[in-house]
Amino acid sequence: MGICASVASEIHDDAYGQENAVYYREIGNTNGVQVIGSTYSHPGSKGLNQDSAILFQGYGLEDGAFCGVFDGHGKNGHIVSKLVRNRLPSLLLNQRNAIAKISKSALNTSSPKQSERVNGELVVPSKNFMKWREAGLSAFKVMDKELKLLDELDFSCSGTTAVAVVKQEEDLVIANLGDSRAVLGTKTENGIKAVQLTTDFKPGVPEEAERIRNCNGRVLALKEEPHIQRVWLPHEDSPGLAMSRAFGDFLLKNHGIISIPDISYHHISPNDQFLVLATDGVWDVLNNDQVISIAASADNEEAAAKAVVDASAAAWKRKFPNSKRDDCTVICLFLQTRINMICT
């Protein structure tokens, strides 16, 4: 699997525009190029839309893709989510290209390969996955450092989640930070089935809570919202972060909040139809099966993301009519031509 090294040097922070959700193509002539998905973002009722998203077609390889959704929070959450969206794709590819130049003996191969079963067979990640994994860990670390060095912006109590997927040929590399989510729609005898590819990293997850408490952070819920565990400083009732991993949030970085992503692998099988990445505003009101069904039933690839967002907005009004609606952002990345899809 070759990597197009020239791509990274051509990416600029302003190339994506200022929209919350953008579709970017790294292709010379886009005439006749197949649309591989869609992205859409809709503001909630809390103020500025703090979500950002990018679907990058032609990433790394001509048929490769990068997709990522970023859910900002705090006073400057809308800024940090866009900064990460605009910078992370090129930073990741730069790291991957640098690693490709290093000899095998110099690579850190101590991390065990994560295998998975596809159609009953055990699939081991490719060597390229191990390089992308190392690149991801490095890129996320550098990204967080770059945010901290922006002295003119205060990210002490502002940050963003990130869930990003890199597609290279039949490999999917999934990097997850926070409580946005990636779900796969795969074809079965009974229609399209939802397969969750990421873990929602919230303070209530036992392993996450243990790490935070070991760093003297506090994990507890407010009386008025007992279902939401939050992270607090050791001796202050602030800031009350509702996730356990994020970019930014530097006030809590010494108390268990980390910017280390969980990076996993999935080999694309002929039955795998599409991916949905979405911020938690979607998952708060729709479950995995509902989202996958909506995306699969959309008229075409370009309409899929908006269909999920529209359904989410309607579900918010129906389920929580007296609550402020969260921002909702979705990417749908199609892995097969839709003519092969079976929707029930």
Side-chain angles (χ1 to χ4, degrees), residues 1 167-172 265-269 336:
M1 186 193 317
K167 177 186 178 293
Q168 301 287 282
E169 295 181 339
E170 302 307 309
D171 290 338
L172 292 180
Y265 169 84
H266 181 80
H267 177 78
I268 301 172
S269 78
Q336 314 288 347

Side-chain angles (χ1 to χ4, degrees), residues 38-40 53-55 67-69 275-278 305 329-333:
S38 54
T39 179
Y40 193 80
I54 180 172
L55 173 51
C67 47
V69 295
L275 282 170
V276 175
L277 278 66
T329 300
V330 171
I331 290 176
C332 294
L333 174 67

Side-chain angles (χ1 to χ4, degrees), residues 254-294:
N254 290 329
H255 300 291
I257 299 301
I258 60 175
S259 58
I260 302 172
D262 178 67
I263 301 181
S264 56
Y265 169 84
H266 181 80
H267 177 78
I268 301 172
S269 78
N271 289 329
D272 295 335
Q273 303 299 301
F274 58 87
L275 282 170
V276 175
L277 278 66
T279 55
D280 68 335
V282 172
W283 309 113
D284 283 345
V285 292
L286 297 175
N287 62 39
N288 293 348
D289 291 328
Q290 289 172 321
V291 167
I292 291 301
S293 177
I294 293 164

Side-chain angles (χ1 to χ4, degrees), residues 147-159:
L147 293 172
K148 194 171 185 179
L149 291 173
L150 295 173
D151 295 331
E152 69 276 16
L153 294 169
D154 181 11
F155 296 142
S156 58
C157 293
S158 297

Side-chain angles (χ1 to χ4, degrees), residues 45-223:
S45 54
K46 299 178 181 180
L48 284 172
N49 186 352
Q50 295 189 305
D51 286 359
S52 294
I54 180 172
L55 173 51
F56 189 144
Q57 185 172 353
Y59 181 83
L61 300 172
E62 185 175 342
D63 64 347
F66 174 98
C67 47
V69 295
F70 311 95
D71 185 352
H73 53 266
K75 179 182 177 181
N76 292 320
H78 60 294
I79 298 175
V80 67
S81 71
K82 280 192 173 66
L83 286 172
V84 174
R85 180 199 67 188
N86 291 353
R87 174 67 171 140
L88 189 61
S90 58
L91 183 59
L92 177 59
L93 196 56
N94 282 335
Q95 295 290 328
R96 173 62 181 82
N97 288 334
I99 288 171
K101 297 177 182 179
I102 301 174
S103 64
K104 288 185 178 180
S105 59
L107 287 173
N108 176 15
T109 57
S110 59
S111 300
K113 292 187 176 182
Q114 304 172 39
S115 59
E116 63 168 343
R117 289 195 175 276
V118 178
N119 295 329
E121 296 183 4
L122 198 63
V123 176
V124 178
S126 66
K127 293 179 181 179
N128 283 293
F129 165 72
M130 304 309 292
K131 295 176 183 178
W132 277 106
R133 182 180 186 277
E134 185 170 343
L137 293 172
S138 178
F140 273 60
K141 183 178 181 179
V142 172
M143 184 75 253
D144 209 42
K145 285 185 176 180
E146 289 186 359
L147 293 172
K148 194 171 185 179
L149 291 173
L150 295 173
D151 295 331
E152 69 276 16
L153 294 169
D154 181 11
F155 296 142
S156 58
C157 293
S158 297
T160 186
T161 68
V163 60
V165 175
V166 174
K167 177 186 178 293
Q168 301 287 282
E169 295 181 339
E170 302 307 309
D171 290 338
L172 292 180
V173 181
I174 308 107
N176 181 39
L177 189 76
D179 59 357
S180 294
R181 188 184 301 172
V183 177
L184 176 72
T186 189
K187 186 168 63 176
T188 70
E189 294 179 355
N190 299 317
I192 303 294
K193 173 186 175 183
V195 179
Q196 186 168 328
L197 298 179
T198 56
T199 298
D200 297 345
F201 286 119
K202 298 188 177 186
V205 176
E207 295 82 1
E208 300 292 289
E210 181 180 7
R211 183 190 67 246
I212 292 166
R213 289 177 175 133
N214 286 341
C215 296
N216 295 320
R218 292 184 297 142
V219 177
L220 55 92
L222 298 172
K223 290 182 180 179

